Amino acid sequence: MYTPRENFLRTVNKDNPDRLVCDYTAFGIVRDDPVTDLDRGIRVKGKEIVDIYGTTIIWPENQPGGMPHVTEENKVIKDITRWREELKLPDYDSMDLDWTKNRASVAAVDKENKMLTSIMATGLFERLHFLMGFEDTLVNLLMEPEAMHDLLDALLEVRMTYVRLLIDNMHPEVIIHHDDWGNHDSLFMQADVWREFFKERYRKLYGYMRERGVIVIHHADCHCAAIVKDMAEIGVQIWQGAIPNNDICKVQKELNGDMIIMGGIDAGIDKPDWTEEEVRRETRRACDTYAPNGAFIPCLTYGGPGSIFPGVDTAIRDEIEKYNAEHYKL
């Protein structure tokens, strides 16, 4: 039986994996690099922070994570035509970054069994609405395209510096890059608008990652069915977070193995009154439905390992392993 690492690599390379990759078990995720700490901000439950871009981030005690709190009073960009005056972009190349803690975390990863993995949160679209709110972001894409193109070019250059420093110092084998482009039922914008503003910029970002030998995973736990072929074209090897509402079987047929689908397990099972029977049933449904089409990794649709409520993720992994034992010669 292959190690989780080797089985993952065989899945990515279409080289006869011996079972389904089980959730995030093939990933040795390290989150403590200094660029990520700066770009995302150190978030603490129950506290409010202001990140390096000037966005207010809140983490209420009863919520699973931090989120932007953008109001008319505190939004960073109030007039997109004046974004250069209103926004001070970080210059990570000019900063004295301490990689000591990160090097220790990297050294602790079991690289015989795990892929050294970094998570880059708050992609280009998310950064826009962190800076100006959802409504202004969507309106400005339509009403002020020139200014939005200029801003996105500047944000992309920060992102390119970020990923270069990450690869030069941490040497991740996998990067899970986050940018949610839609809601439960549709993209936040027309597909052609996404193509105009985001496709080529992501081709540049993901092309660079691929050139540096990094496996590219894009996280978007939303509806992206309308652009899946575009995603594969620009270098996404794995779309993580694919919610069932995407009609995943149809998407798999359309992709024909060009991009792996990772997700498929409805996050609605992760709730206060969860039951093991319900969790196992949904996990088995996902495996039974999507695994026969190939290029599938089952997991909850969140952008990282674990579950909100303790025990849900354990039951999911156990059920995937049971499925593997039943369907593969191990």
Side-chain angles (χ1 to χ4, degrees):
M1 190 167 87
Y2 300 131
T3 65
R5 173 192 176 89
E6 186 174 5
N7 194 58
F8 171 77
L9 287 171
R10 286 178 174 271
T11 299
V12 172
N13 295 325
K14 304 176 187 177
D15 185 22
N16 299 310
D18 63 7
R19 63 196 185 280
L20 292 178
V21 174
C22 179
D23 189 56
Y24 284 89
T25 55
F27 302 95
I29 297 176
V30 175
R31 303 174 186 259
D32 62 3
D33 71 90
V35 195
T36 296
D37 285 348
L38 285 168
D39 200 81
R40 187 173 184 271
I42 304 296
R43 303 177 184 185
V44 180
K45 179 177 279 194
K47 293 194 175 181
E48 177 181 301
I49 67 165
V50 176
D51 70 17
I52 198 168
Y53 295 84
T55 298
T56 298
I57 307 291
I58 61 171
W59 189 347
E61 290 283 356
N62 62 343
Q63 296 297 322
M67 64 193 77
H69 180 62
V70 182
T71 68
E72 287 298 317
E73 291 73 30
N74 74 8
K75 62 186 176 184
V76 178
I77 298 177
K78 295 179 170 62
D79 179 351
I80 185 59
T81 66
R82 300 185 67 254
W83 72 263
R84 290 179 181 83
E85 290 79 41
E86 297 179 342
L87 171 65
K88 180 176 173 56
L89 289 169
D91 179 7
Y92 295 130
D93 269 332
S94 70
M95 298 179 186
D96 184 17
L97 302 173
D98 185 357
W99 292 85
T100 306
K101 180 181 176 182
N102 180 255
R103 291 190 188 103
S105 298
V106 167
V109 172
D110 176 9
K111 298 179 185 66
E112 289 189 11
N113 290 289
K114 309 272 187 181
M115 302 291 297
L116 177 60
T117 302
S118 178
I119 295 178
M120 292 179 65
T122 320
L124 295 174
F125 176 74
E126 291 177 352
R127 183 59 66 192
L128 289 177
H129 71 75
F130 274 42
L131 292 170
M132 65 186 79
F134 254 96
E135 182 177 350
D136 283 7
T137 295
L138 297 175
V139 169
N140 287 333
L141 288 172
L142 300 178
M143 301 302 294
E144 296 288 350
E146 183 176 351
M148 290 292 271
H149 276 297
D150 288 344
L151 173 57
L152 279 165
D153 283 343
L155 292 173
L156 175 61
E157 288 312 305
V158 175
R159 209 74 177 160
M160 296 296 293
T161 300
Y162 177 173
V163 76
R164 171 173 51 79
L165 291 169
L166 190 67
I167 295 171
D168 286 349
N169 290 277
M170 180 177 160
H171 310 292
E173 300 170 288
V174 177
I175 292 177
I176 305 173
H177 190 277
H178 287 212
D179 207 10
D180 290 327
W181 294 324
N183 57 32
H184 186 262
D185 300 307
S186 65
L187 292 172
F188 288 128
M189 66 206 79
Q190 293 294 320
D192 283 345
V193 175
W194 177 87
R195 293 182 182 108
E196 176 186 349
F197 288 94
F198 299 100
K199 182 175 179 178
E200 295 310 313
R201 292 180 173 96
Y202 269 105
R203 190 195 299 273
K204 180 178 178 179
L205 180 64
Y206 290 160
Y208 176 76
M209 292 184 193
R210 297 282 297 272
E211 287 171 6
R212 295 293 304 270
V214 175
I215 293 172
V216 174
I217 299 180
H218 183 92
H219 163 78
D221 52 346
C222 56
H223 190 91
C224 288
I227 56 170
V228 289
K229 290 188 75 68
D230 299 271
M231 292 169 67
E233 178 191 329
I234 62 176
V236 178
Q237 291 161 280
I238 301 172
W239 168 23
Q240 189 281 319
I243 61 174
N245 205 43
N246 281 282
D247 192 349
I248 291 173
C249 289
K250 181 180 178 182
V251 165
Q252 288 175 303
K253 290 176 183 177
E254 185 178 357
L255 288 167
N256 194 29
D258 288 342
M259 182 173 69
I260 294 167
I261 300 297
M262 182 174 177
I265 298 175
D266 192 338
I269 60 173
D270 188 12
K271 56 187 180 180
D273 59 345
W274 72 276
T275 66
E276 185 168 337
E277 179 184 2
E278 183 179 11
V279 169
R280 289 184 180 276
R281 183 169 61 245
E282 169 58 15
T283 303
R284 184 59 66 121
R285 179 205 63 79
C287 292
D288 285 340
T289 305
Y290 311 130
N293 296 326
F296 174 65
I297 298 173
C299 73
L300 274 174
T301 52
Y302 306 143
S307 55
I308 295 173
F309 296 96
V312 173
D313 55 336
T314 302
I316 288 171
R317 288 193 298 270
D318 187 66
E319 190 62 27
I320 294 170
E321 297 294 12
K322 285 185 176 180
Y323 179 91
N324 280 336
E326 293 169 15
H327 288 80
Y328 299 91
K329 296 180 180 179
L330 302 178

